[in-house]
Amino acid sequence: MTDMSSQQILLQRVVREVSPAVAEPLVTRLPQATGKPDAAARALTLLDELQELSEKAATAALAAVPELDRRGGLSHILLWLDLGVALAESSGASALKYFKDSPMVLGLIESADARTEVLTIGLEIAEQDANVALEYIRQAPQILADVPTAHVRPWLDISIELTQVNVVVGLEFIRQISKLAPVLPLESVRDWATVGMKLIVPNSLGKPDYVATMEYLRTSPAILRNIEHPAIREKVVSLCLVLAEHSPESGMTWLAESPDLLGTLPSMEWRIRLLQYGALLAEKHAEATLEYLRRAPELAGLIGDRPEALTRFENWFKAGMEVAAYSPDGARAYFSVESRKALASVEQALSGVPFRLVARRVKLFVQGLCGADVAVAALPDSLTAPVRATVSGDGSAISFPALLRRYPTAVENERLYLVMAAHEAGHLEFGTYRLRLDSLADLIETVRQRYGRTNEARPGTLAALFQLYPNPALVRDLWTVLEDARIEFLLQTEYPGLRCDLARLAAESIVPRDPAQGVMPKELVVDCLLRLSTGEAEDTAVPKAVREEVSILWNMCRSVLKTTATAEETVRVVDQVSVRLEELLAARGAMIPAERCEEQKDVEAGQTKPEQPGDQYRAVTDVAYRGAMNPEFITWSPERFDRQHKSPTESDRSPGEHVRSGDHEPGSGDMLREGRSLPSVVEQCLTLEIDAPQTQETMAHGERAVLYPEWDHRIEDYRMNWCRVVERPADSGSDEFVMKTLATQRSTVKSLRRFFEGLRPPAFRRVAGQTDGEEVDLDAVVRRAGEQRAGAEGDDRLYIRREKRTRDVAVSFLIDISGSTSRDLGTGRRVIDIEKEGLVLLCEALDAVGDQYGLYAYSGQGRGNVEFLTIKDFDDRLGATTAHRLGGLAPRHQNRDGAAIRHATAKLVARDAKNRVLVLLSDGRPLDDQYKDEYSLEDTKAALREARRRGIETFCVTIDRDAETYLRRMYAEARYCVIHSVEALPTKLPLLYRQLTA
């Protein structure tokens, strides 16, 4: 067939689908456009093949030729048709879609060589998978924008592999190439894709479910884009793959959290080191790696940026690997910083001093200064939001930062703690917060009239008084500076040994404002007064531009630097200084250029930023050792003001004022739930000692929550702050049960009361043989007379003294009310009914003997909600409230014995009694979610051991007939008894108590 006849035949075929006016020039230009004289013949051959495979596809191809020509693709018609034939061999539908979409797609690719390469690769891919080839053609313009043509084929090879698993997954991969290529090198893409394959799980019908994989393909490129450096992204993906091999959920969690976690690290070196160690850990203990990755950035921040920081971190990691070598569970606890060993290792790594290590010294130091029992505590802060030392509103406690690392050595940081303590103790000793607004009544009225505030309510606190001024923040700063100066002057006068430390810390703590930031005149003046108050010389502390004004004001301030100055006088001087400051600076509308102290040169002119009407006064720079001042604590006396020490409202606080720890909304329970936000390492370190006061949170309706550790025998260590015990009053019910028990057991009650009244000691006992007393001991007198007659001197102890006797006993009864106490005994009564009946009789007995006692019940659901219900607290009287609470007791959830025992122990330790007893009444072994079997038994045993170590006698009563299988082991070091007949419990319980306290 000649070329001319081929063109005619081709023209006839094309004319069937398009007009002759369009078809003739198109066919005529075909040889020239393709550069092949026999282009028409080749095109006819391809169309014939296509016709045999799919008539619809052949028709669609002819109809699309004009559009292909219009888009500049006529030169590629032979390759274009060839690809269509290859697609039609697999699917006519795919070929139809291809001929419909491809002319526009090729038109979006400007380079002719690029179009040729796209079609060539598409043809090669079509021989393997038509679906991949078709999707590639559709996505080619976007792919080529980010992937060099020479690198496209390896990406598509991965797609073909994915398509063999699932077509939809493979096609989705092609769609994501344009998003993935800019953030991940090709070498890491196969690992990235493998992670997605790990997410395929069987659905309810047992067939593969690809939903999670599809979501991963669509969202992970955006997550990786948030990680700045490509090398870091590669390591993140590699680590993600190792985690996904063990647990796909862990791999996804790491991927989602990695940008934020890595972003907190100070440098690239830190990020690489963290990921390298993570890879080492994941090879052997993937389950502990996620905990490591979450905690390590915080630890890096705590260690700081000193030269030895990486070495400290490495040592901490090596210690964890040693734990992992013998205990995978221990490794998880170590790297999540949950165990006591982990926290001790953190303390070793820290570059600062935790307050826990100096708390005893600080407490003794404060008590020596104040001459009173002042509690000290640590604020569970983080390094991202540092806090300052502060005094409580009632002056009974001082709180300090949980960690100090201002200085490179522990000695210097410990000295800083002591100076902080001295400063805050000075506020207590020298009456800062003993001031009452009554003595300032005249000043308050003057201020209200001066600023036109007479129509407003009288301020209830000193903070509210400051709000009456035009610039409250300025007045508050003046008060802080002058009151701190007064306290330090008195401290240096009373305790000369503090002078050197105060002077040294002051010189190192104050940092002048940066002139480049712009300094308002008022800010500059207050800064100068602060520096002068610390003893700095005027030549270096005050720029000459404001030296005259500062000199006038400082002379006024000096009146508080005398031994007779009071807190009241400070407030009055503050008022005078603020008024005079406004007068002196009234004419200054421009910024005053600040002078650098070290230059000691006059700065009389320069470019300054004019003060704008919207400029806000910025608070004075904090001095490291000076605590936060709280004018909210200074109120009217109760007699003068119709409220008693009402807590300050939010309106009393100036904008941006620091809110002390403890004022936040309670949320500690969140850290114990799934997906919790982890408590800070510093906060965990505060409770490193098992018997230390535990973290508490006050809740509504008289509830409070306390965190306790829990013993994990698998890691042979405590998990710190692991359980959250919520103490609240027991629910009230009807007192019918109590009344009925007392009526039916009337004779038993009488005999018990009579018996236990006999145990009550006489009010006084006569003690003979004393050197003085209320009466003469006649027997001793006669005996001495006989001895003297015999020539001996004789004993001079001739008196009888009457001494008061009491039973110094405090006992706590802890009752298990888990769901198992609902078990029916076959007599129409439940286990809990027998327990309640025993408690009713016990209360009558204890009321008769006069011992102090508390009744508590416990249950709960999970370690984040261990319920501790108060039936009768130690200081409650036995009466209607107790009866209603006993009547309201009902079976609840599960029983986590260890946490309940620890809370009951803490309450007993707080009682002033010589003998303390804890009695646990249970109907079976501990059980609560994962708290079971060996774990629960060992923790309960540990909790009882802790109680005995703190001087508490423990005794366990169980009514579980099968208890012998576990009881001896759980109560090995405690006294216990098994009551085989549940019905005997009510009468046996008081008798057991008599034996315990005899």
Side-chain angles (χ1 to χ4, degrees):
M1 185 184 295
T2 65
D3 292 337
M4 184 58 67
S5 61
S6 295
Q7 286 188 0
Q8 291 175 349
I9 295 172
L10 179 60
L11 178 60
Q12 293 173 1
R13 300 269 297 264
V14 175
V15 167
R16 295 175 189 172
E17 304 300 330
V18 299
S19 65
V22 174
E24 289 179 4
L26 191 152
V27 173
T28 301
R29 289 188 296 105
L30 189 59
Q32 182 180 358
T34 59
K36 299 183 183 298
D38 60 345
R42 292 189 180 190
L44 279 173
T45 301
L46 292 170
L47 286 170
D48 288 341
E49 292 182 24
L50 192 59
Q51 183 75 22
E52 292 178 4
L53 294 169
S54 171
E55 293 183 5
K56 291 183 178 180
T59 301
L62 291 171
V65 169
E67 179 66 16
L68 181 67
D69 181 39
R70 191 174 71 81
R71 299 279 184 176
L74 190 61
S75 60
H76 307 92
I77 189 170
L78 298 179
L79 194 54
W80 178 71
L81 286 171
D82 200 2
L83 176 55
V85 171
L87 293 173
E89 288 177 348
S90 297
S91 168
S94 296
L96 277 173
K97 293 177 183 178
Y98 165 73
F99 287 125
K100 180 181 178 181
D101 298 339
S102 60
M104 183 184 68
V105 172
L106 293 173
L108 296 174
I109 303 174
E110 296 182 1
S111 170
D113 292 340
R115 289 195 292 269
T116 301
E117 188 67 23
V118 166
L119 292 171
T120 301
I121 293 175
L123 183 59
E124 294 174 0
I125 298 297
E127 294 175 356
Q128 296 176 272
D129 195 302
N131 290 305
V132 172
L134 178 60
E135 190 62 37
Y136 162 63
I137 295 298
R138 288 173 171 171
Q139 301 295 327
Q142 291 91 340
I143 293 175
L144 292 178
D146 296 296
V147 181
T149 307
H151 295 168
V152 169
R153 181 57 197 260
W155 285 85
L156 296 180
D157 287 341
I158 296 175
S159 177
I160 291 173
E161 294 177 17
L162 296 177
T163 305
Q164 292 172 354
V165 176
N166 180 267
V167 173
V168 177
V169 171
L171 299 185
E172 185 61 38
F173 172 79
I174 296 176
R175 298 185 191 106
Q176 299 303 323
I177 289 176
S178 60
K179 298 177 182 177
L180 189 61
V183 299
L184 203 62
L186 180 61
E187 295 76 15
S188 298
V189 172
R190 195 173 298 277
D191 284 349
W192 173 85
T194 304
V195 172
M197 294 299 98
K198 298 295 180 183
L199 303 179
I200 301 173
V201 295
N203 59 19
S204 58
L205 300 177
K207 297 182 178 180
D209 188 333
Y210 301 96
V211 173
T213 300
M214 296 292 288
E215 185 67 18
Y216 166 78
L217 296 178
R218 291 167 181 163
T219 59
S220 58
I223 295 173
L224 291 171
R225 192 181 303 119
N226 293 327
I227 301 173
E228 293 183 4
H229 201 279
I232 299 299
R233 296 190 200 114
E234 291 183 56
K235 293 183 180 296
V236 167
V237 171
S238 298
L239 189 51
C240 188
L241 177 58
V242 177
L243 292 175
E245 293 281 357
H246 174 76
S247 166
E249 293 78 8
S250 296
M252 292 303 95
T253 301
W254 159 238
L255 181 64
E257 296 180 5
S258 59
D260 291 335
L261 292 173
L262 295 172
T264 62
L265 293 169
S267 66
M268 175 68 69
E269 184 180 13
W270 267 106
R271 296 183 185 99
I272 292 175
R273 186 70 62 93
L274 178 138
L275 292 170
Q276 287 175 340
Y277 289 165
L280 288 174
L281 180 61
E283 290 176 1
K284 297 182 179 180
H285 301 284
E287 64 278 2
T289 305
L290 183 59
E291 306 299 341
Y292 157 79
L293 294 168
R294 282 174 163 170
R295 280 302 200 182
E298 184 186 3
L299 180 60
L302 290 171
I303 293 175
D305 56 359
R306 293 187 171 86
E308 73 279 5
L310 284 171
T311 302
R312 288 174 178 269
F313 182 80
E314 182 178 355
N315 291 337
W316 172 80
F317 179 79
K318 286 180 178 178
M321 292 298 286
E322 291 175 2
V323 173
Y326 66 84
S327 172
D329 291 317
R332 282 197 298 270
Y334 181 92
F335 287 113
S336 59
V337 197
E338 291 172 349
S339 68
R340 186 166 53 164
K341 292 175 184 175
L343 288 171
S345 183
V346 166
E347 277 196 344
Q348 277 191 316
L350 293 181
S351 57
V353 174
F355 177 73
R356 186 183 68 83
L357 299 181
V358 297
R360 179 172 176 78
R361 286 176 56 196
V362 169
K363 181 177 176 64
L364 294 174
F365 183 61
V366 169
Q367 289 179 346
L369 291 176
C370 297
D373 186 10
V374 179
V376 297
L379 296 167
D381 60 338
S382 68
L383 295 181
T384 56
V387 296
R388 299 162 65 192
T390 186
V391 177
S392 64
D394 58 3
S396 63
I398 302 176
S399 298
F400 297 87
L403 175 74
L404 282 184
R405 56 176 202 163
R406 182 178 180 85
Y407 297 102
T409 67
V411 172
E412 291 174 299
N413 287 309
E414 290 173 8
R415 183 181 294 113
L416 177 55
Y417 265 127
L418 292 176
V419 174
M420 282 182 172
H423 190 82
E424 299 312 299
H427 284 295
L428 297 179
E429 182 179 0
F430 302 122
T432 297
Y433 298 113
R434 288 199 297 272
L435 174 65
R436 288 292 170 257
L437 295 184
D438 308 55
S439 61
L440 298 171
D442 60 319
L443 176 63
I444 292 172
E445 291 306 315
T446 300
V447 172
R448 295 175 71 196
Q449 292 178 14
R450 181 193 305 155
Y451 299 114
R453 301 293 189 94
T454 54
N455 294 329
E456 298 182 13
R458 177 176 293 183
T461 66
L462 186 60
L465 171 60
F466 293 158
Q467 293 293 323
L468 299 179
Y469 288 82
N471 197 329
L474 169 67
V475 179
R476 185 184 182 114
D477 270 358
L478 287 172
W479 175 71
T480 299
V481 169
L482 296 187
E483 183 61 13
D484 278 339
R486 182 182 76 88
I487 295 302
E488 286 190 18
F489 175 81
L490 293 173
L491 283 172
Q492 293 180 32
T493 302
E494 293 286 329
Y495 310 106
L498 290 172
R499 290 176 183 172
C500 292
D501 285 335
L502 285 171
R504 175 173 172 266
L505 289 174
E508 296 171 349
S509 298
I510 299 177
V511 180
R513 295 181 193 261
D514 184 0
Q517 303 273 328
V519 183
M520 294 175 62
K522 296 174 183 177
E523 295 171 350
L524 185 57
V525 169
V526 175
D527 276 5
C528 292
L529 294 177
L530 171 64
R531 296 170 70 178
L532 290 172
S533 75
T534 62
E536 189 172 346
E538 183 175 336
D539 291 342
T540 58
V542 185
K544 289 188 176 178
V546 292
R547 186 162 292 176
E548 180 181 353
E549 290 82 359
V550 171
S551 179
I552 294 171
L553 297 173
W554 180 239
N555 285 331
M556 298 173 64
C557 296
R558 285 179 182 276
S559 61
V560 303
L561 303 182
K562 55 186 180 182
T563 56
T564 57
T566 63
E568 175 191 343
E569 188 170 346
T570 299
V571 178
R572 294 185 182 276
V573 172
V574 166
D575 178 70
Q576 298 167 12
V577 170
S578 67
V579 173
R580 185 63 173 142
L581 175 60
E582 296 291 345
E583 293 173 354
L584 292 172
L585 300 182
R588 292 178 178 268
M591 305 291 280
I592 300 175
E595 178 183 69
R596 294 181 182 272
C597 298
E598 60 273 12
E599 294 178 356
Q600 298 188 9
K601 295 180 180 179
D602 296 342
V603 181
E604 300 294 345
Q607 290 185 347
T608 58
K609 176 183 174 183
E611 183 177 338
Q612 302 296 327
D615 287 343
Q616 296 291 323
Y617 171 83
R618 292 168 297 179
V620 70
T621 305
D622 291 342
V623 181
Y625 65 88
R626 291 183 175 180
M629 297 287 285
N630 297 284
E632 300 85 2
F633 295 163
I634 299 174
T635 63
W636 298 87
S637 60
E639 304 81 27
R640 182 70 175 268
F641 206 73
D642 189 22
R643 58 177 177 160
Q644 292 188 354
H645 300 289
K646 195 171 183 180
S647 59
T649 62
E650 289 299 318
S651 61
D652 291 335
R653 300 184 186 274
S654 59
E657 180 186 337
H658 171 72
V659 179
R660 297 185 308 117
S661 176
D663 294 339
H664 62 279
E665 291 296 322
S668 298
D670 295 340
M671 72 176 68
L672 302 176
R673 302 189 183 106
E674 290 297 326
R676 68 190 185 278
S677 59
L678 295 169
S680 72
V681 170
V682 172
E683 182 178 350
Q684 294 282 72
C685 282
L686 300 183
T687 54
L688 189 55
E689 295 177 2
I690 298 301
D691 296 337
Q694 303 300 318
T695 304
Q696 298 191 28
E697 116 189 41
T698 302
M699 306 167 68
H701 310 298
E703 299 180 6
R704 69 184 183 109
V706 188
L707 298 179
Y708 288 98
E710 188 168 273
W711 175 257
D712 187 341
H713 73 286
R714 298 167 300 187
I715 64 175
E716 298 182 353
D717 201 357
Y718 284 94
R719 292 185 179 273
M720 307 304 294
N721 282 346
W722 194 248
C723 296
R724 179 171 175 265
V725 176
V726 180
E727 180 182 346
R728 64 176 178 84
D731 297 333
S732 291
S734 171
D735 62 353
E736 181 181 351
F737 179 88
V738 175
M739 296 298 103
K740 182 178 179 181
T741 301
L742 292 175
T744 56
Q745 301 280 351
R746 185 176 302 153
S747 60
T748 303
V749 170
K750 285 184 178 180
S751 61
L752 282 174
R753 290 193 68 88
R754 186 164 51 251
F755 181 81
F756 275 84
E757 284 172 353
L759 296 179
R760 187 194 296 266
F764 294 92
R765 65 171 180 171
R766 298 172 76 249
V767 182
Q770 304 298 309
T771 56
D772 59 63
E774 293 82 5
E775 58 183 281
V776 176
D777 186 347
L778 294 179
D779 291 338
V781 171
V782 171
R783 186 165 51 251
R784 184 184 184 192
E787 291 172 347
Q788 288 179 335
R789 179 169 294 184
E793 180 179 352
D795 195 344
D796 62 352
R797 290 177 292 181
L798 308 176
Y799 297 92
I800 296 174
R801 185 169 65 242
R802 297 167 63 87
E803 292 184 348
K804 189 173 182 179
R805 295 184 61 188
T806 59
R807 279 174 55 93
D808 197 5
V809 176
V811 62
S812 177
F813 289 90
L814 191 57
I815 299 94
D816 168 16
I817 56 169
S818 58
S820 59
T821 59
S822 63
R823 176 168 55 93
D824 193 291
L825 298 173
T827 60
R829 295 204 297 172
R830 304 167 299 172
V831 171
I832 195 169
D833 297 326
I834 303 298
E835 289 182 339
K836 288 161 64 175
E837 185 176 310
L839 292 177
V840 172
L841 299 182
L842 186 64
C843 285
E844 292 295 320
L846 293 175
D847 191 53
V849 78
D851 291 345
Q852 51 176 319
Y853 68 98
L855 299 179
Y856 309 98
Y858 71 98
S859 182
Q861 191 79 44
R863 66 186 180 92
N865 186 33
V866 179
E867 296 177 317
F868 192 92
L869 309 178
T870 301
I871 304 169
K872 177 194 173 297
D873 217 341
F874 283 101
D875 295 325
D876 295 341
R877 295 186 62 184
L878 183 64
T881 300
T882 304
H884 285 286
R885 289 176 180 174
L886 272 172
L889 281 185
R892 296 182 68 81
H893 308 296
Q894 303 186 78
N895 56 310
R896 203 176 194 99
D897 289 11
I901 291 170
R902 290 183 178 93
H903 191 64
T905 297
K907 294 179 73 69
L908 268 173
V909 168
R911 304 305 300 177
D912 183 16
K914 181 179 179 180
N915 302 301
R916 301 183 183 94
V917 181
L918 171 61
V919 179
L920 174 66
L921 177 60
S922 174
D923 75 323
R925 67 171 65 213
L927 179 65
D928 180 23
D929 292 347
Q930 301 303 313
Y931 189 81
K932 56 186 178 181
D933 301 333
E934 297 296 311
Y935 185 99
S936 63
L937 297 180
E938 291 296 327
D939 178 59
T940 302
K941 183 165 71 172
L944 292 169
R945 184 168 56 243
E946 294 161 27
R948 288 192 300 279
R949 189 173 63 241
R950 302 179 75 175
I952 296 174
E953 181 72 23
T954 58
F955 191 84
C956 307
V957 180
T958 183
I959 52 179
D960 182 7
R961 292 188 178 94
D962 301 323
E964 293 296 343
T965 58
Y966 64 87
L967 204 60
R968 188 177 302 278
R969 176 177 175 183
M970 187 166 68
Y971 298 151
E973 302 172 24
R975 289 195 285 172
Y976 68 93
C977 78
V978 179
I979 298 179
H980 296 282
S981 174
V982 178
E983 290 78 3
L985 175 67
T987 54
K988 283 194 173 183
L989 203 53
L991 300 179
L992 287 172
Y993 177 74
R994 185 198 67 178
Q995 296 174 7
L996 282 174
T997 60

